[in-house]
């Protein structure tokens, strides 16, 4: 007999609000329904009301974990519209921050994965070594998260020579600790028992669901924008793509852990080769036209589309985050496993719902509505709610 | 009875974390203050899994249309007296999302708020001092 286990939207498992309807037979999960949209804030609408410089700060606040990826992708898209080439030093700075962010994001996931399987030691341990990285962000850019390093035409802040030593020191510590974590995760019988052969996403399913990032690389698909379509300093450094074929949660964990080593390699090479010079080119005018950008965020490829009409605000800004593609693959990955495993499998793609929630559903019969109608309906509904719940 | 509850609250506040429509950043900083560098559990502050166990609500992120009724339901389920602690600029004044069609406004229009902790995100030290100030006022 089929039963439904509702999870969410406010539940202690994941930080963000989302709603899962697990359809179970006994202990076994037979189907999954995902309901999201609790995080929609109207970024694309707001972006059209702000200047290009302000939008970088806005898109930064799409997601706090990949708060470098979205502005990075946005400025690359605007540079594509305006045909601006940032100076080499700025390219290296952006690459360094992008890679340091990847380490921070992967560590965050690893800690939370430990938390989800009830192994809080891993959580505390991993997050302890994430702290010095946030200190480096604070040192370079003045904030632990939301760094605001990207700017159309370059970088907003320089990495000063006196910071190099600190970054090097941290990378040495990180390399040592990452070796320890990799060994700990691969050798620990408890972790292996919980992760191995759980939540298997086969290569066919991975292709059918068009998953991205570490989720795809854990299922044997070698896709990485940094290799396939290099931008900034990625074609000037030497690094390897990590791919595993198993498709289970352990493979995804291995991909993320080993990717941290590659990130360390990239940051070291960038620090060594970083040229001197200005960190931004002056952008006087954004010419009318369209621009796109693909950037490899820690979770996969993030895509930004910007259309300019020659004014100082984007005429249209479209965002597609990697979790948008990854989250639906949970439906096949979770089938056939127990409820206890579902908690981990649902978190294995490193879901980020605030990146994903780009729309909100309005129910208004079957009339055809234009964008303006939808906006008006939306305002009205919000106003009704405001009046109803006001104290 | 209320006094006993207050006494318990001051000694060891159990907090429930509500993320309305946040960008995750305040949320991970809240988790951060549980990890070894800050380790607030030594002061008795524990993150709990249900609002019915909680003495204080840590709210993050702007309120939007879908989350407003649900956040209010979480607040109703929390036993009173409870503290509402707003973490982040989004919760205090809706930040840069004020002109959005989907954002209904700051928390203090809908809930009684005890402490505002501005910042994007606030530093963990700021969050700890916010909770301490809320407790000192009781």
């Amino acid at each position: 007999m089929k039963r439904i286990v509702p999870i969410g939207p406010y539940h202690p498992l994941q930080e963000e609000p989302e709603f899962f309807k697990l359809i179970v037979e006994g202990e076994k999960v037979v189907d999954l329904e995902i309901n999201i949209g609790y995080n929609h804030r109207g970024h694309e609408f707001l972006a059209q009301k702000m200047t290009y410089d302000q939008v970088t700060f806005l898109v930064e606040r799409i997601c706090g974990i990949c708060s470098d990826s979205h502005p990075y992708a946005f400025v690359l898209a605007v540079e594509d519209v305006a045909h601006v080439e940032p100076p080499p030093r700025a390219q290296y700075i952006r690459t360094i921050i992008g890679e340091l962010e990847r380490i921070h994001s992967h560590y965050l996931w690893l800690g939370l994965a430990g938390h989800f399987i009830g192994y809080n030691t891993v959580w505390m341990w991993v997050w302890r070594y994430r702290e010095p990285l946030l200190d480096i962000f604070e040192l370079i850019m003045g904030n632990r998260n939301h760094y605001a390093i990207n700017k159309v035409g370059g970088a907003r802040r320089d990495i000063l020579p006196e910071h190099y030593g600190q970054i090097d020191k941290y990378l040495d510590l990180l390399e040592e600790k990452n070796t320890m974590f990799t060994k700990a995760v691969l050798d620990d019988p408890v972790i292996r028992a919980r992760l191995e052969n759980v939540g298997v996403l086969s290569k066919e399913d991975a292709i059918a669901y068009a998953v991205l990032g570490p989720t795809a690389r854990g299922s044997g698909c070698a896709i990485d924008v940094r290799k396939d379509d290099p931008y900034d300093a990625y074609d000037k450094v030497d690094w390897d793509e990590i791919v595993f074929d198993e498709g289970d949660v352990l493979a995804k964990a291995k991909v993320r852990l080993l990717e941290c080593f590659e990130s360390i390699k990239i940051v070291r090479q960038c620090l060594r080769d970083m040229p001197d010079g200005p960190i931004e080119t002056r952008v006087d005018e954004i010419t009318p036209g369209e621009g796109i950008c693909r950037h490899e965020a820690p979770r996969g490829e993030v895509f930004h589309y910007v259309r300019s009409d020659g004014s100082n605000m984007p005429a249209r800004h479209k965002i597609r985050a990697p979790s948008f593609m990854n989250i639906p693959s949970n439906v096949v990955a979770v089938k056939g496993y127990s409820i206890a495993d579902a908690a981990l499998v649902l978190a294995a793609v490193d879901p980020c719902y605030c990146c994903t929630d780009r729309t909100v559903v309005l129910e208004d019969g079957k009339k055809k509505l234009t964008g303006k109608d939808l906006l008006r309906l939306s305002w009205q509904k919000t106003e009704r709610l405001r009046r109803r719940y006001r104290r | 009875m209320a006094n006993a509850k207050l006494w318990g609250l001051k000694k060891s506040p159990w907090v429930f974390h509500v993320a309305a429509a946040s960008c995750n950043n305040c949320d991970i900083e809240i988790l951060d203050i549980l990890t070894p560098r800050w380790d607030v559990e030594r002061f008795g502050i524990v993150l709990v899994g249900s609002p019915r166990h909680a003495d204080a609500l840590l709210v993050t992120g702007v309120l939007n249309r879908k989350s407003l009724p649900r956040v209010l339901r979480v607040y109703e389920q929390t036993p009173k007296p409870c503290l509402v602690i707003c973490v982040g600029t989004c919760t205090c004044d809706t930040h840069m999302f004020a002109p959005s069609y989907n954002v209904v406004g700051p928390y203090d229009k809908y809930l009684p708020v005890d402490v505002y902790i501005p910042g994007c995100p606030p530093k963990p030290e700021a969050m700890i001092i916010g909770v301490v100030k809320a407790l000192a006022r009781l």
Side-chain angles (χ1 to χ4, degrees), chain A residues 10 15 39-41 64 131 135 138 144-146 362 378 382 385-386 389 391, chain B residues 17 19 21 23-25 29 32 37 64-65 72 100-104 109 120 123:
Chain A
Y10 292 97
E15 287 311 301
N39 253 323
H40 181 65
R41 283 155 290 166
E131 282 306 320
D135 286 345
E138 198 175 358
R144 287 160 53 85
N145 315 78
H146 288 331
L362 297 163
S378 201
T382 308
L385 269 178
R386 274 193 193 130
Y389 287 105
R391 284 204 284 152
Chain B
H17 165 219
C23 73
N24 261 343
N25 220 336
E29 293 289 84
D32 229 20
R37 184 179 282 188
N64 70 9
R65 222 156 60 200
L72 291 179
S100 170
Y101 53 84
N102 208 36
V103 171
V104 291
K109 280 189 181 163
C120 189
K123 289 190 76 171

mmCIF file of all heavy atoms in Angstrom, chain A residues 10 15 39-41 64 131 135 138 144-146 362 378 382 385-386 389 391, chain B residues 17 19 21 23-25 29 32 37 64-65 72 100-104 109 120 123:
data_model
loop_
_atom_site.group_PDB
_atom_site.id
_atom_site.type_symbol
_atom_site.label_atom_id
_atom_site.label_comp_id
_atom_site.label_asym_id
_atom_site.label_seq_id
_atom_site.Cartn_x
_atom_site.Cartn_y
_atom_site.Cartn_z
ATOM 1 N N TYR A 10 9.240 23.714 6.147
ATOM 2 C CA TYR A 10 10.207 24.059 7.190
ATOM 3 C C TYR A 10 10.542 22.812 7.977
ATOM 4 O O TYR A 10 9.760 22.350 8.774
ATOM 5 C CB TYR A 10 9.655 25.176 8.086
ATOM 6 C CG TYR A 10 9.571 26.440 7.305
ATOM 7 C CD1 TYR A 10 8.386 26.843 6.726
ATOM 8 C CD2 TYR A 10 10.727 27.157 7.060
ATOM 9 C CE1 TYR A 10 8.354 27.965 5.928
ATOM 10 C CE2 TYR A 10 10.690 28.273 6.261
ATOM 11 C CZ TYR A 10 9.506 28.671 5.708
ATOM 12 O OH TYR A 10 9.482 29.761 4.898
ATOM 13 N N GLU A 15 18.517 23.544 5.033
ATOM 14 C CA GLU A 15 18.424 24.905 5.531
ATOM 15 C C GLU A 15 17.304 25.686 4.870
ATOM 16 O O GLU A 15 16.742 26.583 5.457
ATOM 17 C CB GLU A 15 19.759 25.620 5.286
ATOM 18 C CG GLU A 15 20.849 25.155 6.206
ATOM 19 C CD GLU A 15 20.406 25.131 7.637
ATOM 20 O OE1 GLU A 15 20.024 26.184 8.148
ATOM 21 O OE2 GLU A 15 20.400 24.058 8.262
ATOM 22 N N ASN A 39 11.313 30.328 -2.287
ATOM 23 C CA ASN A 39 12.441 31.248 -2.205
ATOM 24 C C ASN A 39 12.416 32.328 -3.265
ATOM 25 O O ASN A 39 13.377 33.053 -3.416
ATOM 26 C CB ASN A 39 13.742 30.447 -2.355
ATOM 27 C CG ASN A 39 14.453 30.331 -1.046
ATOM 28 O OD1 ASN A 39 14.439 31.268 -0.263
ATOM 29 N ND2 ASN A 39 15.058 29.201 -0.796
ATOM 30 N N HIS A 40 11.326 32.408 -4.022
ATOM 31 C CA HIS A 40 11.308 33.333 -5.153
ATOM 32 C C HIS A 40 11.262 34.773 -4.668
ATOM 33 O O HIS A 40 10.408 35.143 -3.876
ATOM 34 C CB HIS A 40 10.106 33.036 -6.036
ATOM 35 C CG HIS A 40 10.026 33.928 -7.216
ATOM 36 N ND1 HIS A 40 10.968 33.905 -8.210
ATOM 37 C CD2 HIS A 40 9.153 34.891 -7.555
ATOM 38 C CE1 HIS A 40 10.649 34.813 -9.117
ATOM 39 N NE2 HIS A 40 9.556 35.430 -8.739
ATOM 40 N N ARG A 41 12.224 35.579 -5.155
ATOM 41 C CA ARG A 41 12.261 36.981 -4.740
ATOM 42 C C ARG A 41 12.185 37.936 -5.925
ATOM 43 O O ARG A 41 12.225 39.141 -5.746
ATOM 44 C CB ARG A 41 13.564 37.248 -3.966
ATOM 45 C CG ARG A 41 13.551 36.745 -2.570
ATOM 46 C CD ARG A 41 14.956 36.484 -2.080
ATOM 47 N NE ARG A 41 15.530 35.340 -2.765
ATOM 48 C CZ ARG A 41 16.814 35.036 -2.743
ATOM 49 N NH1 ARG A 41 17.653 35.777 -2.097
ATOM 50 N NH2 ARG A 41 17.253 33.975 -3.377
ATOM 51 N N GLY A 64 23.917 32.523 -1.232
ATOM 52 C CA GLY A 64 25.033 32.906 -0.388
ATOM 53 C C GLY A 64 26.214 31.976 -0.507
ATOM 54 O O GLY A 64 27.330 32.339 -0.132
ATOM 55 N N GLU A 131 36.873 27.522 8.145
ATOM 56 C CA GLU A 131 36.965 28.855 8.745
ATOM 57 C C GLU A 131 38.153 29.688 8.246
ATOM 58 O O GLU A 131 37.956 30.845 7.881
ATOM 59 C CB GLU A 131 37.034 28.755 10.268
ATOM 60 C CG GLU A 131 35.712 28.486 10.939
ATOM 61 C CD GLU A 131 34.654 29.481 10.561
ATOM 62 O OE1 GLU A 131 34.976 30.676 10.456
ATOM 63 O OE2 GLU A 131 33.519 29.062 10.352
ATOM 64 N N ASP A 135 38.344 33.532 6.580
ATOM 65 C CA ASP A 135 39.227 34.603 7.050
ATOM 66 C C ASP A 135 39.975 35.234 5.882
ATOM 67 O O ASP A 135 40.170 36.452 5.848
ATOM 68 C CB ASP A 135 40.243 34.062 8.062
ATOM 69 C CG ASP A 135 39.602 33.766 9.399
ATOM 70 O OD1 ASP A 135 38.470 34.238 9.611
ATOM 71 O OD2 ASP A 135 40.222 33.072 10.215
ATOM 72 N N GLU A 138 37.735 37.486 4.080
ATOM 73 C CA GLU A 138 37.553 38.724 4.833
ATOM 74 C C GLU A 138 38.779 39.622 4.666
ATOM 75 O O GLU A 138 38.653 40.844 4.550
ATOM 76 C CB GLU A 138 37.312 38.398 6.309
ATOM 77 C CG GLU A 138 36.705 39.552 7.065
ATOM 78 C CD GLU A 138 36.356 39.201 8.480
ATOM 79 O OE1 GLU A 138 36.553 38.036 8.893
ATOM 80 O OE2 GLU A 138 35.896 40.093 9.192
ATOM 81 N N ARG A 144 33.004 38.031 4.988
ATOM 82 C CA ARG A 144 33.204 36.588 5.000
ATOM 83 C C ARG A 144 32.474 35.907 3.851
ATOM 84 O O ARG A 144 32.951 34.919 3.295
ATOM 85 C CB ARG A 144 32.718 36.003 6.319
ATOM 86 C CG ARG A 144 33.619 36.310 7.484
ATOM 87 C CD ARG A 144 32.874 36.156 8.784
ATOM 88 N NE ARG A 144 32.227 34.865 8.894
ATOM 89 C CZ ARG A 144 32.825 33.759 9.327
ATOM 90 N NH1 ARG A 144 34.066 33.798 9.695
ATOM 91 N NH2 ARG A 144 32.161 32.642 9.413
ATOM 92 N N ASN A 145 31.275 36.397 3.542
ATOM 93 C CA ASN A 145 30.553 35.891 2.372
ATOM 94 C C ASN A 145 30.103 37.118 1.595
ATOM 95 O O ASN A 145 30.233 38.209 2.094
ATOM 96 C CB ASN A 145 29.334 35.074 2.796
ATOM 97 C CG ASN A 145 29.651 34.111 3.900
ATOM 98 O OD1 ASN A 145 29.747 34.523 5.039
ATOM 99 N ND2 ASN A 145 29.820 32.864 3.596
ATOM 100 N N HIS A 146 29.527 36.915 0.441
ATOM 101 C CA HIS A 146 29.153 38.049 -0.417
ATOM 102 C C HIS A 146 30.360 38.961 -0.634
ATOM 103 O O HIS A 146 30.471 40.042 -0.077
ATOM 104 C CB HIS A 146 28.012 38.850 0.226
ATOM 105 C CG HIS A 146 26.711 38.151 0.192
ATOM 106 N ND1 HIS A 146 26.383 37.257 -0.778
ATOM 107 C CD2 HIS A 146 25.630 38.226 1.004
ATOM 108 C CE1 HIS A 146 25.165 36.800 -0.544
ATOM 109 N NE2 HIS A 146 24.696 37.362 0.529
ATOM 110 N N LEU A 362 1.081 31.505 -10.688
ATOM 111 C CA LEU A 362 -0.149 32.252 -10.426
ATOM 112 C C LEU A 362 -1.277 31.485 -11.099
ATOM 113 O O LEU A 362 -1.154 31.113 -12.257
ATOM 114 C CB LEU A 362 -0.075 33.649 -11.029
ATOM 115 C CG LEU A 362 0.999 34.575 -10.489
ATOM 116 C CD1 LEU A 362 1.190 35.707 -11.447
ATOM 117 C CD2 LEU A 362 0.617 35.092 -9.138
ATOM 118 N N SER A 378 0.453 39.645 -9.853
ATOM 119 C CA SER A 378 1.389 39.330 -8.796
ATOM 120 C C SER A 378 1.367 40.409 -7.714
ATOM 121 O O SER A 378 1.306 40.115 -6.524
ATOM 122 C CB SER A 378 2.766 39.213 -9.411
ATOM 123 O OG SER A 378 3.589 38.483 -8.582
ATOM 124 N N THR A 382 0.188 39.942 -3.785
ATOM 125 C CA THR A 382 1.071 40.307 -2.679
ATOM 126 C C THR A 382 0.390 41.311 -1.757
ATOM 127 O O THR A 382 0.453 41.208 -0.535
ATOM 128 C CB THR A 382 2.374 40.912 -3.228
ATOM 129 O OG1 THR A 382 2.906 40.025 -4.184
ATOM 130 C CG2 THR A 382 3.384 41.135 -2.135
ATOM 131 N N LEU A 385 -2.158 39.684 0.506
ATOM 132 C CA LEU A 385 -1.502 38.989 1.616
ATOM 133 C C LEU A 385 -1.034 39.982 2.673
ATOM 134 O O LEU A 385 -1.167 39.744 3.872
ATOM 135 C CB LEU A 385 -0.282 38.222 1.108
ATOM 136 C CG LEU A 385 -0.507 36.792 0.680
ATOM 137 C CD1 LEU A 385 0.790 36.228 0.180
ATOM 138 C CD2 LEU A 385 -0.998 35.959 1.836
ATOM 139 N N ARG A 386 -0.476 41.100 2.205
ATOM 140 C CA ARG A 386 0.020 42.126 3.130
ATOM 141 C C ARG A 386 -1.107 42.577 4.051
ATOM 142 O O ARG A 386 -0.948 42.676 5.256
ATOM 143 C CB ARG A 386 0.531 43.335 2.353
ATOM 144 C CG ARG A 386 1.957 43.212 1.926
ATOM 145 C CD ARG A 386 2.489 44.547 1.456
ATOM 146 N NE ARG A 386 3.755 44.330 0.767
ATOM 147 C CZ ARG A 386 4.062 44.807 -0.429
ATOM 148 N NH1 ARG A 386 3.180 45.540 -1.081
ATOM 149 N NH2 ARG A 386 5.226 44.561 -0.967
ATOM 150 N N TYR A 389 -2.441 39.709 6.657
ATOM 151 C CA TYR A 389 -1.631 39.245 7.785
ATOM 152 C C TYR A 389 -1.032 40.366 8.613
ATOM 153 O O TYR A 389 -0.382 40.115 9.615
ATOM 154 C CB TYR A 389 -0.500 38.348 7.285
ATOM 155 C CG TYR A 389 -0.980 36.994 6.850
ATOM 156 C CD1 TYR A 389 -1.069 36.675 5.503
ATOM 157 C CD2 TYR A 389 -1.363 36.047 7.792
ATOM 158 C CE1 TYR A 389 -1.505 35.436 5.103
ATOM 159 C CE2 TYR A 389 -1.803 34.800 7.392
ATOM 160 C CZ TYR A 389 -1.870 34.500 6.046
ATOM 161 O OH TYR A 389 -2.305 33.271 5.660
ATOM 162 N N ARG A 391 -0.220 43.097 11.292
ATOM 163 C CA ARG A 391 -0.611 43.145 12.710
ATOM 164 C C ARG A 391 -1.483 44.362 12.996
ATOM 165 O O ARG A 391 -1.217 45.442 12.473
ATOM 166 C CB ARG A 391 0.639 43.279 13.576
ATOM 167 C CG ARG A 391 1.390 42.020 13.704
ATOM 168 C CD ARG A 391 2.203 42.041 14.967
ATOM 169 N NE ARG A 391 3.377 42.880 14.846
ATOM 170 C CZ ARG A 391 3.942 43.487 15.888
ATOM 171 N NH1 ARG A 391 3.381 43.391 17.076
ATOM 172 N NH2 ARG A 391 5.033 44.189 15.730
ATOM 173 N N HIS B 17 15.363 27.504 13.640
ATOM 174 C CA HIS B 17 15.832 28.371 12.566
ATOM 175 C C HIS B 17 14.832 28.355 11.413
ATOM 176 O O HIS B 17 14.526 27.304 10.887
ATOM 177 C CB HIS B 17 17.220 27.872 12.140
ATOM 178 C CG HIS B 17 17.680 28.403 10.856
ATOM 179 N ND1 HIS B 17 18.363 27.660 9.955
ATOM 180 C CD2 HIS B 17 17.534 29.618 10.308
ATOM 181 C CE1 HIS B 17 18.630 28.386 8.907
ATOM 182 N NE2 HIS B 17 18.128 29.573 9.089
ATOM 183 N N ALA B 19 14.105 29.795 7.718
ATOM 184 C CA ALA B 19 14.611 30.519 6.556
ATOM 185 C C ALA B 19 13.422 30.824 5.667
ATOM 186 O O ALA B 19 12.840 29.922 5.092
ATOM 187 C CB ALA B 19 15.628 29.674 5.809
ATOM 188 N N ALA B 21 12.762 33.426 2.742
ATOM 189 C CA ALA B 21 13.274 33.345 1.373
ATOM 190 C C ALA B 21 14.655 33.935 1.406
ATOM 191 O O ALA B 21 14.910 34.997 0.882
ATOM 192 C CB ALA B 21 12.377 34.100 0.415
ATOM 193 N N CYS B 23 19.008 33.906 1.167
ATOM 194 C CA CYS B 23 19.981 33.502 0.155
ATOM 195 C C CYS B 23 20.924 32.461 0.733
ATOM 196 O O CYS B 23 21.982 32.248 0.175
ATOM 197 C CB CYS B 23 20.761 34.697 -0.355
ATOM 198 S SG CYS B 23 21.938 35.329 0.818
ATOM 199 N N ASN B 24 20.592 31.818 1.855
ATOM 200 C CA ASN B 24 21.434 30.770 2.431
ATOM 201 C C ASN B 24 22.565 31.294 3.276
ATOM 202 O O ASN B 24 23.180 30.542 4.006
ATOM 203 C CB ASN B 24 22.108 29.925 1.349
ATOM 204 C CG ASN B 24 21.402 28.653 1.109
ATOM 205 O OD1 ASN B 24 20.614 28.274 1.939
ATOM 206 N ND2 ASN B 24 21.661 28.014 0.025
ATOM 207 N N ASN B 25 22.891 32.569 3.121
ATOM 208 C CA ASN B 25 24.134 33.021 3.707
ATOM 209 C C ASN B 25 24.008 33.163 5.217
ATOM 210 O O ASN B 25 24.862 32.691 5.969
ATOM 211 C CB ASN B 25 24.523 34.353 3.092
ATOM 212 C CG ASN B 25 25.991 34.427 2.848
ATOM 213 O OD1 ASN B 25 26.741 33.731 3.501
ATOM 214 N ND2 ASN B 25 26.395 35.234 1.925
ATOM 215 N N GLU B 29 25.804 30.911 8.193
ATOM 216 C CA GLU B 29 26.507 31.560 9.297
ATOM 217 C C GLU B 29 25.906 31.132 10.636
ATOM 218 O O GLU B 29 26.623 31.043 11.627
ATOM 219 C CB GLU B 29 26.444 33.082 9.157
ATOM 220 C CG GLU B 29 27.216 33.625 7.976
ATOM 221 C CD GLU B 29 28.725 33.550 8.137
ATOM 222 O OE1 GLU B 29 29.287 32.464 7.845
ATOM 223 O OE2 GLU B 29 29.342 34.527 8.553
ATOM 224 N N ASP B 32 27.347 27.987 11.279
ATOM 225 C CA ASP B 32 28.754 28.234 11.586
ATOM 226 C C ASP B 32 28.984 28.479 13.067
ATOM 227 O O ASP B 32 29.995 28.049 13.618
ATOM 228 C CB ASP B 32 29.204 29.472 10.799
ATOM 229 C CG ASP B 32 30.486 29.220 10.070
ATOM 230 O OD1 ASP B 32 30.792 28.039 9.866
ATOM 231 O OD2 ASP B 32 31.166 30.180 9.725
ATOM 232 N N ARG B 37 34.812 26.891 16.038
ATOM 233 C CA ARG B 37 35.421 28.177 16.353
ATOM 234 C C ARG B 37 34.573 28.975 17.344
ATOM 235 O O ARG B 37 35.115 29.605 18.237
ATOM 236 C CB ARG B 37 35.663 28.987 15.099
ATOM 237 C CG ARG B 37 36.395 30.268 15.451
ATOM 238 C CD ARG B 37 36.700 31.110 14.271
ATOM 239 N NE ARG B 37 37.844 30.631 13.516
ATOM 240 C CZ ARG B 37 38.373 31.314 12.515
ATOM 241 N NH1 ARG B 37 37.865 32.473 12.165
ATOM 242 N NH2 ARG B 37 39.392 30.840 11.859
ATOM 243 N N ASN B 64 8.321 36.335 1.564
ATOM 244 C CA ASN B 64 7.636 36.459 0.287
ATOM 245 C C ASN B 64 6.256 35.849 0.396
ATOM 246 O O ASN B 64 5.835 35.411 1.459
ATOM 247 C CB ASN B 64 8.464 35.886 -0.855
ATOM 248 C CG ASN B 64 8.585 34.401 -0.811
ATOM 249 O OD1 ASN B 64 7.926 33.734 -0.033
ATOM 250 N ND2 ASN B 64 9.441 33.867 -1.651
ATOM 251 N N ARG B 65 5.571 35.841 -0.735
ATOM 252 C CA ARG B 65 4.164 35.475 -0.698
ATOM 253 C C ARG B 65 3.943 34.055 -0.203
ATOM 254 O O ARG B 65 2.999 33.771 0.506
ATOM 255 C CB ARG B 65 3.626 35.616 -2.110
ATOM 256 C CG ARG B 65 2.291 36.238 -2.144
ATOM 257 C CD ARG B 65 2.055 36.868 -3.454
ATOM 258 N NE ARG B 65 2.139 35.878 -4.505
ATOM 259 C CZ ARG B 65 2.347 36.193 -5.773
ATOM 260 N NH1 ARG B 65 2.512 37.437 -6.108
ATOM 261 N NH2 ARG B 65 2.405 35.271 -6.684
ATOM 262 N N LEU B 72 4.241 32.497 9.712
ATOM 263 C CA LEU B 72 3.307 32.842 10.786
ATOM 264 C C LEU B 72 2.808 31.585 11.487
ATOM 265 O O LEU B 72 2.603 31.578 12.698
ATOM 266 C CB LEU B 72 2.130 33.641 10.224
ATOM 267 C CG LEU B 72 2.479 35.050 9.751
ATOM 268 C CD1 LEU B 72 1.269 35.753 9.200
ATOM 269 C CD2 LEU B 72 3.078 35.866 10.870
ATOM 270 N N SER B 100 10.352 44.381 -5.210
ATOM 271 C CA SER B 100 9.925 43.162 -5.893
ATOM 272 C C SER B 100 8.420 42.933 -5.729
ATOM 273 O O SER B 100 7.835 43.296 -4.725
ATOM 274 C CB SER B 100 10.691 41.969 -5.348
ATOM 275 O OG SER B 100 10.122 40.787 -5.834
ATOM 276 N N TYR B 101 7.825 42.273 -6.750
ATOM 277 C CA TYR B 101 6.384 41.995 -6.718
ATOM 278 C C TYR B 101 6.028 40.877 -5.762
ATOM 279 O O TYR B 101 4.886 40.667 -5.444
ATOM 280 C CB TYR B 101 5.893 41.638 -8.127
ATOM 281 C CG TYR B 101 6.681 40.529 -8.786
ATOM 282 C CD1 TYR B 101 6.385 39.207 -8.548
ATOM 283 C CD2 TYR B 101 7.753 40.824 -9.621
ATOM 284 C CE1 TYR B 101 7.113 38.207 -9.117
ATOM 285 C CE2 TYR B 101 8.494 39.822 -10.200
ATOM 286 C CZ TYR B 101 8.170 38.512 -9.955
ATOM 287 O OH TYR B 101 8.910 37.521 -10.513
ATOM 288 N N ASN B 102 7.024 40.113 -5.348
ATOM 289 C CA ASN B 102 6.729 38.912 -4.573
ATOM 290 C C ASN B 102 7.063 39.071 -3.095
ATOM 291 O O ASN B 102 6.843 38.161 -2.315
ATOM 292 C CB ASN B 102 7.530 37.741 -5.160
ATOM 293 C CG ASN B 102 6.865 36.423 -4.933
ATOM 294 O OD1 ASN B 102 5.652 36.340 -4.962
ATOM 295 N ND2 ASN B 102 7.649 35.401 -4.674
ATOM 296 N N VAL B 103 7.610 40.204 -2.717
ATOM 297 C CA VAL B 103 8.090 40.387 -1.347
ATOM 298 C C VAL B 103 7.074 41.211 -0.568
ATOM 299 O O VAL B 103 6.658 42.275 -1.023
ATOM 300 C CB VAL B 103 9.469 41.081 -1.363
ATOM 301 C CG1 VAL B 103 9.903 41.480 0.025
ATOM 302 C CG2 VAL B 103 10.497 40.149 -1.968
ATOM 303 N N VAL B 104 6.655 40.687 0.584
ATOM 304 C CA VAL B 104 5.544 41.337 1.292
ATOM 305 C C VAL B 104 5.992 42.338 2.334
ATOM 306 O O VAL B 104 5.166 43.079 2.843
ATOM 307 C CB VAL B 104 4.608 40.304 1.940
ATOM 308 C CG1 VAL B 104 3.856 39.545 0.897
ATOM 309 C CG2 VAL B 104 5.355 39.381 2.854
ATOM 310 N N LYS B 109 6.136 43.978 10.598
ATOM 311 C CA LYS B 109 4.743 44.272 10.246
ATOM 312 C C LYS B 109 3.826 43.098 10.591
ATOM 313 O O LYS B 109 2.625 43.267 10.678
ATOM 314 C CB LYS B 109 4.640 44.564 8.762
ATOM 315 C CG LYS B 109 5.061 45.979 8.424
ATOM 316 C CD LYS B 109 4.730 46.296 7.001
ATOM 317 C CE LYS B 109 5.179 47.693 6.675
ATOM 318 N NZ LYS B 109 5.254 47.899 5.234
ATOM 319 N N CYS B 120 24.972 41.768 6.085
ATOM 320 C CA CYS B 120 24.665 40.912 4.938
ATOM 321 C C CYS B 120 25.862 40.050 4.604
ATOM 322 O O CYS B 120 26.614 40.381 3.728
ATOM 323 C CB CYS B 120 24.246 41.748 3.740
ATOM 324 S SG CYS B 120 23.603 40.761 2.398
ATOM 325 N N LYS B 123 28.131 39.116 11.053
ATOM 326 C CA LYS B 123 29.230 38.235 11.469
ATOM 327 C C LYS B 123 28.750 37.358 12.614
ATOM 328 O O LYS B 123 27.869 37.751 13.368
ATOM 329 C CB LYS B 123 30.416 39.077 11.930
ATOM 330 C CG LYS B 123 31.097 39.785 10.786
ATOM 331 C CD LYS B 123 32.386 40.395 11.212
ATOM 332 C CE LYS B 123 33.460 39.341 11.361
ATOM 333 N NZ LYS B 123 34.779 39.888 11.568
#
